[in-house]
Amino acid sequence: MPSPQIRPLDLADDATAAAVHRVGRAAYAVEAELIGFDGIPALGESLAGMRAQDLNWVGAVSEDGELAGFLAWEEEADGGVCIDRLCVAPDWFRRGVASLLLRHALTELFPGRPVEVTTGAANTPAVTLYERLGFTRGPDFSPTPGLTMASFTSV
């Protein structure tokens, strides 16, 4: 099966936004189980709330048009990038989609720029991904009781 292709996502398109919302909710439900915390903000985010975010979006889209995963980020005033979310549809887990999206972002979308990302510290697949792709782990932090987040940076 060929790898999905990376392309920009336009959340003004209803079908695209619905697909992104569906994939995000499914991916965050799995993360909630992994980290033992069901209060992930994006998990309860409405479609309208997701669309209202001031983010840039790219997706990994299969040959038949299925959204396998997506990455969303915001541009920082200092020229850096903050990855807001990196989600993969559960049917596409363990098939390289997150790596494909992240490598594309680092080499094509914001090469040489500082990049920040956080994930649940107990989300072993995500922690492993960021470390494997050369991110440096910073301090863990707890934004709310019961949740420990890991921070990563890359240049």
Side-chain angles (χ1 to χ4, degrees):
M1 174 181 287
S3 288
Q5 298 298 305
I6 306 298
R7 68 177 195 214
L9 297 175
D10 179 6
L11 270 59
D13 176 76
D14 290 340
T16 299
V20 168
H21 192 250
R22 184 175 54 255
V23 167
R25 289 185 64 112
Y28 283 119
V30 172
E31 182 176 17
E33 286 288 321
L34 285 172
I35 67 175
F37 181 79
D38 65 1
I40 298 170
L43 187 56
E45 186 175 59
S46 70
L47 178 60
M50 181 195 72
R51 288 172 112 170
Q53 298 292 320
D54 187 22
L55 298 171
N56 302 287
W57 301 82
V58 294
V61 181
S62 73
E63 206 171 65
D64 64 1
E66 179 186 0
L67 182 64
F70 63 84
L71 183 141
W73 73 95
E74 68 182 322
E75 303 280 339
E76 301 289 327
D78 65 4
V81 173
C82 181
I83 294 175
D84 185 78
R85 50 192 93 186
L86 173 58
C87 296
V88 175
D91 288 348
W92 286 86
F93 282 1
R94 313 281 310 150
R95 291 167 65 183
V97 173
S99 295
L100 178 71
L101 283 160
L102 200 51
R103 281 189 181 107
H104 176 83
L106 294 171
T107 60
E108 302 295 324
L109 300 174
F110 27 86
R113 294 170 61 189
V115 179
E116 297 177 359
V117 66
T118 61
T119 191
N123 185 344
T124 303
V127 168
T128 300
L129 171 70
Y130 296 127
E131 290 175 341
R132 189 177 72 240
L133 292 183
F135 282 75
T136 301
R137 188 163 180 169
D140 288 359
F141 63 99
S142 184
T144 189
L147 176 62
T148 301
M149 299 292 290
S151 63
F152 295 88
T153 56
S154 177
V155 179

